Amino acid sequence: MWDDAFPSFLIGLREGLEGGLIVSILIATLVRAGARARLPQVWTGVLAAVALAMSFGAVLTFTAASLSQTAQEAFAGTLGVIAVAFVTAMVFWMRRSARNLSGELKEKITGALAMGSGMLVLTSFLAVGREGLETALFLWTTARAAGESAGPLTGAAVGLVLSAGLCWGLYRRVLKINLTRFFTATGAVLIVIAAGVLGYGLRDLQEGGVLPGKSAYAVDLAGSVDAGSWYSTLVQGVFNLTPTMTWLQVTAYAAYLATVMTLFVRGVRATPPGRTAERPAPEPKAARPRRRRPAWLLPAAVVALPALLAGLVVALGRPKPAGDQTVAVSGTECGRGFTAPKPGRRTFQMHNTGTRTSEVYLIDPSTSAVYGEIEGLAPGTTRDLVATVAGGTYAWRCVPTGGTPVTSKALRVSGGGSARPVVPVSAHDLAAPLKAYRAYVERGLTTLVGQTRTLDHDIEAGRLGRARTDWLTAHRTYASLGAAYGTFEDFDRKIDGRPDGLVNGVRDQDFTGFLRVEHGLWHGESAQHLRAPARQLADAAEGLRKAFPSQAFDPGDLPLRAHEILENTLQFELTGDTDQGSGTTLATADANLAGTRELLTVLRPLLTGRAPRLLPTVDADAARLQRLLDAAHDGAHWTPVDRLDAAGRQRLDGATGQLLEDLAPIPDLLEIRKSA
């Protein structure tokens, strides 16, 4: 429970600070201006935002609806940019109020407040509404992932209470300071907050696909700053500055801050000291008395309207019985209770009535293509299977552990729409790609043995300059075999082990292999000291070549490695983390890319029919990354990662990240499914 509570606590603290800071400053402004009568308008906006957030949470909870990730980001980003516009308007209202301070304070500020109740309601509503909707969405997602709601709700409540306390402290403080300085200082603070909200909103729009450049990073401190730490959370909550920011975020943040702050400061400096001349107030026009509406009417309406709309969504948008149906799973009654659902996104409650754990698939019986699946459904348990249903034929297939697969009666669904099933892959389908890749690895290991022997001879003869060149050649060969690392067992540690975690680091006797030799060659060790590590490396390569033909290679590892090779590249090589002095981690990254492309070559026949649009995209991504890597070396000389300019490093990281994102579906597309 408490493991689930802490992330939600941080969410509550962050979102509460973002909305609460603006509201607390706004309330303090009205109180100091003697405009307490306008406070209900602020609280009405806050109340409307809370009601909207709670109603949104109710819709998510009771309908089991789910926005797509891109829709979530686009929605939050749009609301964030709108909020910035209203906050900016309030900032300049505050500046004008500071300019007109005089003995007639109440009259002047009352005139400045003539913007109407709608502005105050909207400002407080947007300040709290965006954070409230995000909090509801985050909590719902966290609770779904955790399988329980007590922990996330408790954590979020504590975070919100703490953020409210911090904002109350700010409110109490600003009520005691000089009013002119208060308007100026709080205006400046709001500009900084709004700049962060703008950057955050634009990032959401990038994630939602509305704006380009989501992988073009201007700042990337993720490797050195813990985004989940208390100090990072506080900075993100107050200023919306994150360890990783795109060029669009940084540019918009800087441009907004520079432009708006300059205009704000100029306006403050342009105000001459002293009293502003009083103008005679115009004679009030005679107005017919009008009936005053009850004070409770507007707050009640802003609460009732979201609740009413949420109720209608729950009533009308919740899956019908065909989508909530409970379907039996067992070796004898697979699919009992299944009736033809209506097209759309449907949730089926799969209940295992048998005595064995079972795999469950919703399939097209004519092709065995899979629309949805549950792995490891234990006896007596019920789990939701969510799938998109369109016009077509559907059936259930249950695969009990150690038992015979059972397929239910097929049902026809009429209607339009589209649902793209995944054609299942068997171990037999992966046999040919596995055979081709094993042959590639065996050839590579044969080459590696010769290259490590050459390296050994260089060092034995004291030719350390040549050894550096031959070291890089051999290491690139090994790095190009990345998809087979999982089968190399202890040989990988002996050949390419890192000093991390060793008691004596690079001086530890268990530090062996390429990186050990690299450290010695580029740190001035003599040939005599390097002979033993070089010989160990050559012997380990020879041992691996002999052992590999008899080592087990799980066919399911091939699709996984398509993504994992470059994940490691982004984590280790492109950060320079594995560099032991040669400055050639980009050469290793280049070899990793070559290994990934070889793997895609053997998997291409399986991917062509399952994802015809994926391969051209991946090929274009790989070609882009290859061009960037090619530009990083001149012949045998490679530019060290830490000597790349910021823009070049960001382009490399962005290109690798984009390729990783496009490779991510491959493991799911080529997952081995039992008798599906």
Side-chain angles (χ1 to χ4, degrees):
M1 171 179 173
W2 300 116
D3 290 342
D4 300 327
F6 185 68
S8 298
F9 163 76
L10 295 180
I11 290 170
L13 178 62
R14 173 194 168 94
E15 305 299 337
L17 279 174
E18 288 190 33
L21 283 175
I22 296 174
V23 171
S24 62
I25 291 174
L26 185 57
I27 291 174
T29 301
L30 295 174
V31 171
R32 283 290 280 149
R36 288 180 177 270
R38 305 293 295 275
L39 288 179
Q41 296 163 11
V42 176
W43 289 118
T44 297
V46 173
L47 192 62
V50 172
L52 178 64
M54 295 181 69
S55 300
F56 181 55
V59 169
L60 291 175
T61 301
F62 293 111
T63 66
S66 59
L67 291 172
S68 68
Q69 184 66 30
T70 54
Q72 296 173 20
E73 303 293 354
F75 177 75
T78 301
L79 198 57
V81 173
I82 293 173
V84 169
F86 279 97
V87 169
T88 305
M90 290 302 302
V91 163
F92 284 94
W93 163 76
M94 292 168 69
R95 191 201 68 186
R96 288 193 300 271
S97 296
R99 180 185 300 172
N100 294 328
L101 288 177
S102 66
E104 296 78 23
L105 179 66
K106 291 184 180 181
E107 289 79 7
K108 294 295 182 182
I109 293 184
T110 300
L113 289 171
M115 64 180 71
S117 61
M119 177 64 78
L120 290 175
V121 173
L122 273 174
T123 300
S124 56
F125 171 76
L126 288 170
V128 178
R130 176 183 182 276
E131 318 312 328
L133 290 173
E134 282 191 351
T135 303
L137 187 59
F138 288 156
L139 286 180
W140 180 78
T141 305
T142 303
R144 292 276 292 186
E148 56 99 11
S149 57
L153 289 177
T154 301
V158 174
L160 288 170
V161 169
L162 180 57
S163 66
L166 292 173
C167 293
W168 171 255
L170 173 66
Y171 165 76
R172 298 296 297 175
R173 174 61 183 165
V174 297
L175 289 180
K176 299 178 182 179
I177 64 176
N178 179 274
L179 188 58
T180 304
R181 294 178 180 175
F182 160 72
F183 275 98
T184 303
T186 52
V189 170
L190 280 175
I191 290 172
V192 175
I193 294 174
V197 173
L198 177 61
Y200 188 76
L202 293 176
R203 177 58 177 169
D204 283 345
L205 291 174
Q206 288 180 308
E207 293 288 350
V210 178
L211 296 176
K214 69 176 181 179
S215 298
Y217 296 113
V219 178
D220 188 359
L221 303 176
S224 55
V225 176
D226 181 6
S229 62
W230 67 268
Y231 56 84
S232 182
T233 299
L234 189 61
V235 171
Q236 291 180 55
V238 177
F239 302 109
N240 265 306
L241 295 176
T242 59
T244 303
M245 297 181 70
T246 65
W247 280 106
L248 179 61
Q249 282 182 279
V250 172
T251 302
Y253 184 95
Y256 176 90
L257 193 60
T259 303
V260 178
M261 188 67 79
T262 299
L263 294 174
F264 181 79
V265 171
R266 283 181 179 176
V268 171
R269 289 179 177 176
T271 304
R275 291 171 59 95
T276 303
E278 179 181 358
R279 297 178 182 178
E283 290 294 328
K285 295 181 179 180
R288 288 181 297 176
R290 60 179 181 179
R291 186 176 180 181
R292 192 176 180 184
R293 69 186 179 197
W296 54 266
L297 183 60
L298 182 59
V302 299
V303 173
L305 182 60
L308 178 61
L309 291 176
L312 290 174
V313 171
V314 170
L316 301 177
R318 196 173 184 182
K320 305 304 180 188
D324 272 341
Q325 56 187 282
T326 298
V327 181
V329 175
S330 76
T332 58
E333 54 179 8
C334 181
R336 182 171 61 86
F338 179 46
T339 57
K342 292 184 178 180
R345 194 148 180 86
R346 295 289 174 255
T347 300
F348 303 94
Q349 297 175 347
M350 311 307 298
H351 178 61
N352 191 339
T353 60
T355 58
R356 298 180 182 181
T357 298
S358 183
E359 313 290 320
V360 188
Y361 304 100
L362 179 62
I363 65 170
D364 178 345
S366 62
T367 62
S368 291
V370 177
Y371 291 94
E373 64 183 299
I374 293 178
E375 297 181 352
L377 182 63
T381 60
T382 301
R383 284 163 57 187
D384 288 350
L385 187 151
V386 181
T388 299
V389 176
T393 305
Y394 295 83
W396 293 101
R397 182 164 293 167
C398 306
V399 188
T401 301
T404 303
V406 179
T407 303
S408 73
K409 176 183 176 182
L411 292 179
R412 180 75 185 175
V413 174
S414 59
S418 62
R420 180 172 296 177
V422 176
V423 179
V425 172
S426 66
H428 176 74
D429 295 326
L430 284 169
L434 180 60
K435 181 179 179 181
Y437 194 78
R438 287 189 71 106
Y440 163 77
V441 173
E442 289 178 2
R443 292 193 300 271
L445 290 176
T446 299
T447 302
L448 178 68
V449 169
Q451 292 170 342
T452 54
R453 288 299 178 200
T454 299
L455 174 61
D456 181 27
H457 294 156
D458 290 340
I459 293 176
E460 181 68 29
R463 298 187 295 266
L464 298 187
R466 182 178 297 179
R468 293 186 184 96
T469 301
D470 291 337
W471 174 89
L472 180 57
T473 300
H475 191 238
R476 281 168 54 81
T477 296
Y478 186 74
S480 68
L481 309 178
Y485 288 171
T487 68
F488 288 170
E489 300 173 351
D490 290 340
F491 285 106
D492 183 51
R493 180 180 57 81
K494 295 176 182 178
I495 294 174
D496 207 31
R498 301 169 61 198
D500 303 17
L502 298 179
V503 176
N504 296 316
V506 295
R507 300 299 177 189
D508 198 289
Q509 64 179 2
D510 290 331
F511 180 34
T512 61
F514 276 111
L515 300 188
R516 169 65 183 91
V517 175
E518 176 190 7
H519 186 275
L521 285 173
W522 275 272
H523 284 83
E525 284 192 46
S526 65
Q528 182 179 356
H529 283 93
L530 286 171
R531 283 170 185 161
R535 179 59 55 83
Q536 288 176 334
L537 173 60
D539 290 344
E542 176 65 31
L544 176 57
R545 185 189 66 81
K546 292 179 179 179
F548 181 71
S550 61
Q551 288 179 331
F553 199 138
D554 186 348
D557 281 351
L558 284 181
L560 291 174
R561 298 293 184 262
H563 187 265
E564 291 177 352
I565 297 173
L566 290 179
E567 268 189 343
N568 290 336
T569 302
L570 189 62
Q571 182 179 0
F572 299 118
E573 274 67 46
L574 296 187
T575 60
D577 188 63
T578 55
D579 184 24
Q580 296 298 321
S582 68
T584 59
T585 55
L586 290 184
T588 306
D590 182 71
N592 288 339
L593 177 59
T596 300
R597 295 176 109 172
E598 178 65 29
L599 181 57
L600 290 173
T601 297
V602 302
L603 293 176
R604 189 171 294 268
L606 294 178
L607 290 170
T608 301
R610 291 171 173 80
R613 297 181 181 179
L614 176 64
L615 286 172
T617 302
V618 167
D619 289 341
D621 292 342
R624 176 190 173 205
L625 179 56
Q626 187 67 68
R627 288 193 296 270
L628 293 173
L629 290 170
D630 289 343
H633 73 98
D634 180 12
H637 177 263
W638 288 80
T639 304
V641 170
D642 57 5
R643 294 185 187 175
L644 291 173
D645 60 73
R649 191 164 182 175
Q650 291 298 330
R651 283 194 294 269
L652 263 177
D653 290 344
T656 307
Q658 186 61 56
L659 178 53
L660 272 172
E661 184 175 329
D662 291 329
L663 288 171
I666 291 179
D668 286 335
L669 289 170
L670 302 184
E671 179 185 359
I672 297 176
R673 290 173 167 86
K674 299 178 181 178
S675 301

